[in-house]
Every structure is written in C-alpha cells, then in structure tokens.
Amino acid sequence: MILGEAMDLVRPEEVMLWMRRWVQEGRKTVIANHNLHSLALLRSTPQLRRFYGRADLIEVDSRPLLAFARLLRLAARPMHRCTYLDWRDHFWSLADREGWRVFYLGGAPGVAEEAAQRIGRKRPGVCIWTRHGHFDATAGSSDNAAVLKEIAAFKPNVLMVGMGMPRQELWIADHLDALPDCVVLNVGAAFDYEAGVQRAAPRWMGRLGLEWLFRLTADPKRLFHRYVVEPWALAGPALRDLKRAFAR
C-alpha cells in the first residue's frame, strides 16, 4: 500500500510476462496504473474505485511514488516505473511475434490511424484496429453501442483505451462485462506519441523522475494544476504513511 492504495511493484518485463500468459489463456483481465494524478482523482472522483477494484495488476507509473516507496522501505528489491513508454518496444515486439490483435480506442480522429500505420510498418505481424475517442461514451448511447459492437467484431487479444483520466477508466469500469475476453489497459495518449502528435520526454528524464517537468514546460496551461497543485491533496496520506513507517 502506498498513500492508501494498493500497487504492484513490478518491472516492465514482468508486466509483459503476465500479459502474454493472460492472452494465451484467453482471460479477460485489466492492467491499470497509478501515478500522483490518479491518486488525487480518486479523492475527487470516487467512482474510479470501481476500475481499480477490477484490476488484476496495478503498475506504478511515477518516479516520485517509487522514491516514496523506497523511503518507506516497502520493497527489498529494486523498483521500476511501469508505463506504456517504458514497455512499448517490448510490447510491440511481443505482439508482432505472437500475431496479436490490438484494438486502440481513443485520440482525435486520424491520430490513431497514423500511429497504427507507423507501427505496422515496423511490426507487420501485429494486427491493429483503431477507433477515435470522440464519441458519446454514455452507457446506452447509440455511439457507445456501436463502439462495443466494433470491438466485439474485431476480437482483440489486447484492448488499449486512451481517452485520458478519468474518462478512460470510468468507461472501462462501466463496460468491462460487455467487452470480449482480452487484456484491457488504460494507456492515455499512447498513440499520440506513436503518431508524433505529442513528443515523449527523453528516457533519461524519465529515469531521473523529471518527465513531469518536460511535460509541464511543453503544456503549462493544461498541466500546471496537475503537477503543481494536485499533489498537495496527497499530503495527508503521505504523512500517515511516514508515521507508520517510522513506527515500524
């Protein structure tokens, strides 16, 4: 438990091992992730707990969270951040070798298609289908029914939902039972990076825990509240964790 929430301290290669096993078994599973933004959203959008309650694996997508876990001495082995940008090459290599069918739901019209074409040129063994995220995601809407029908018809091994927090998580929680048996992930702007719409921070910044600074300087108006204001909402849980750690 970190800041009151359960997380799995796994390495990116372990995530791929679990994903491969679940795809081979044909199981419906959910791989989620936590960062400071999601932890703050849990306090303002409690409906998110339905999503995390259904997750089979919860990655830690935050260098600051890992540093805090080390301070609390929560793990004896080295800890690694896990997010799409950390395991993307391994994932697409695996999907290519295994011939996986990957459905990406999200992004602006045309973006995911461009990303799929770029990936397909490098990884011809993977079958990718995309659907933009500009639709009425309300349960019971005709748009939503059409999206679910499209996903079911494609029969994916892996479904990536990239519609931003908390919309993507709430959509998954609302429709998980209606989705086909596959591995489901919340991946945010994954295909924006693949299409070149957004520039990913250099990996050395990610390793140093400075990716947030790269993103903040690139889009300060949108991200100032997320990176500068939101984390203060976690001060109380952090202090409680520290008190328990010192008591041990």
Side-chain angles (χ1 to χ4, degrees):
M1 299 285 285
I2 308 174
L3 300 178
E5 303 301 330
M7 303 178 208
D8 297 299
L9 297 176
V10 291
R11 298 187 295 270
E13 57 268 28
E14 291 176 304
V15 176
M16 293 301 101
L17 285 171
W18 280 109
M19 193 181 304
R20 185 170 184 262
R21 177 181 297 179
W22 289 330
V23 168
Q24 289 176 338
E25 293 174 352
R27 284 183 54 195
K28 183 185 297 187
T29 54
V30 176
I31 298 178
N33 59 67
H34 262 317
N35 51 37
L36 296 179
H37 183 46
S38 66
L39 293 173
L41 283 173
L42 277 172
R43 285 150 179 82
S44 61
T45 313
Q47 303 96 309
L48 271 174
R49 294 200 176 277
R50 293 186 296 116
F51 169 74
Y52 287 101
R54 299 290 299 271
D56 298 89
L57 182 70
I58 303 178
E59 307 169 302
V60 181
D61 172 19
S62 170
R63 289 285 177 178
L65 276 179
L66 290 176
F68 189 63
R70 282 192 292 271
L71 179 64
L72 300 176
R73 298 182 179 180
L74 291 180
R77 66 174 184 168
M79 293 175 284
H80 300 260
R81 191 189 73 161
C82 286
T83 186
Y84 177 79
L85 292 176
D86 297 305
W87 47 251
R88 66 198 278 197
D89 291 336
H90 190 170
F91 171 81
W92 290 113
S93 175
L94 181 59
D96 184 34
R97 293 196 308 271
E98 300 283 329
W100 285 355
R101 300 172 64 80
V102 179
F103 194 112
Y104 181 86
L105 173 64
V111 171
E113 290 91 332
E114 172 64 22
Q117 289 176 11
R118 292 188 181 194
I119 295 168
R121 285 194 290 269
K122 295 180 182 178
R123 308 290 188 182
V126 62
C127 181
I128 307 173
W129 193 265
T130 65
R131 175 45 162 98
H132 66 76
H134 291 210
F135 67 96
D136 180 359
T138 307
S141 71
S142 58
D143 266 7
N144 212 43
V147 168
L148 291 171
K149 184 176 180 181
E150 192 171 347
I151 294 171
F154 182 69
K155 298 179 180 178
N157 301 114
V158 178
L159 170 63
M160 295 182 168
V161 184
M163 300 191 293
M165 283 187 171
R167 186 174 183 243
Q168 60 194 12
E169 290 79 14
L170 296 177
W171 187 88
I172 293 170
D174 286 342
H175 302 94
L176 186 58
D177 291 336
L179 292 173
D181 291 339
C182 61
V183 178
V184 184
L185 304 99
N186 59 328
V187 295
F191 271 35
D192 283 7
Y193 293 119
E194 300 294 354
V197 173
Q198 287 193 43
R199 183 185 167 204
R203 289 298 83 203
W204 66 266
M205 295 190 77
R207 289 191 292 271
L208 292 176
L210 296 175
E211 188 165 340
W212 67 271
L213 183 59
F214 178 90
R215 297 188 67 194
L216 177 60
T217 55
D219 194 355
K221 185 176 180 180
R222 183 174 68 89
L223 296 175
F224 179 84
H225 185 270
R226 171 173 173 173
Y227 289 129
V228 179
V229 178
E230 263 190 3
W232 290 103
L234 303 172
L239 287 173
R240 288 192 289 273
D241 278 358
L242 288 170
K243 288 180 180 177
R244 282 193 290 267
F246 288 138
R248 290 198 299 269

